[in-house]
Amino acid sequence: MAEIIQRDGTWTFDGETVRIVPGRGKGIHPLRQELGERVVPLRALAGIAFEPDRKGGRLRLRLRDGACPVLRAAEGRLKDASDPYQLAVEKDRSGAAEYFVEEVRSALLIEQVPTGPVDGFLLPGPAVPVAGGGGDGTASFDGETIRLTWNWKAEEVKTSAGPVAFPVSEVTGVHWIPAIGLENGHLRFVRGSATAPAPAAAFDPYSLDLWGLSKKEYTAALVAAAVLVRLPGAAKKEAGAEAARPAEIPAPAGPATPAPAPTVDDHDALLRRLRELGELRQAGILTDDEFTAAKQAVLKRL
């Protein structure tokens, strides 16, 4: 098992999943705190990298396109500090970060995980009930009903009509855009065919107008993600993805069939990894306990 513990959070890899636990405190982005722990299966990963810098560096998980509803909702608009699949690494733990990368990369290679897009989400959406937003109001979602409530800063067309509530079954789309520069962002829910152009978010009773005055506004992306996984189209995609996977066929009765032996290439890769681990220990990058745990994991694969 590989593990790296930082103020920014803790990442653990057991050979099958990467478990991500965000840190706590003022320095942790609200989106990551509200989202909480994530367990990423190996088959959802497209890659991993460690980017060193003078302060330490940053670990980055790259997920397969379409695997995570949060990333789908954000569409590449998350800043580094808000991205749940990034970890700020302190300088004295750079060696541990590089070791973590090698462990995950080796598993991806051995398991031959494809890097292409997926047909359905491989990670769950944020836990419900979930709430988020800012600007002129707050959005909440309990798994069935979406509610928009307004604050004193909302336009009169919203406050005079009062809070809005509608079932997720009426939603055909959801869009989140953060405020960028002087441009406001929004969290917009599309209902029905919506052929007519939507009004500006400030005057749309099915949208939050996001001004970018607080990091907390990014939590609106979590509401968008929770709704995305419950849209009828998303359910069909997930069902199709499951159907596309080959069914598990029970093994016939009788003596158990031995697992296929590793190929020569697998053996060579694992032996090289053992040598690398020894060099990391000699260099003082890995402790004896870290070396022993990593060595046992490699030997199990042999």
Side-chain angles (χ1 to χ4, degrees), residues 11-54:
W11 285 18
T12 307
F13 179 59
D14 62 5
E16 297 180 356
T17 60
V18 177
R19 184 178 298 273
I20 298 172
V21 180
R24 293 293 174 187
K26 294 182 180 179
I28 308 304
H29 197 282
L31 184 147
R32 292 172 56 208
Q33 287 189 342
E34 294 294 332
L35 181 60
E37 182 176 318
R38 302 294 278 168
V39 178
V40 185
L42 196 63
R43 63 192 179 95
L45 294 180
I48 184 172
F50 174 61
E51 302 171 357
D53 58 33
R54 60 185 181 84

Side-chain angles (χ1 to χ4, degrees), residues 74-158:
E75 293 185 342
R77 299 186 180 98
L78 291 180
K79 296 181 179 179
D80 284 354
S82 64
D83 190 333
Y85 305 110
Q86 296 191 30
L87 180 71
V89 178
E90 297 161 25
K91 194 168 185 178
D92 62 346
R93 298 303 290 164
S94 296
E98 292 171 352
Y99 169 63
F100 194 97
V101 167
E102 288 301 320
E103 286 294 289
V104 175
R105 284 180 176 171
S106 295
L108 289 171
L109 179 63
I110 291 171
E111 297 298 329
Q112 297 184 342
V113 177
T115 59
V118 297
D119 293 329
F121 297 126
L122 300 180
L123 282 87
V128 293
V130 61
D136 65 354
T138 300
S140 61
F141 179 52
D142 62 7
E144 297 181 357
T145 303
I146 298 161
R147 292 179 173 83
L148 301 177
T149 58
W150 316 114
N151 58 37
W152 63 274
K153 295 174 283 189
E155 296 288 341
E156 186 177 356
V157 67
K158 291 183 176 182

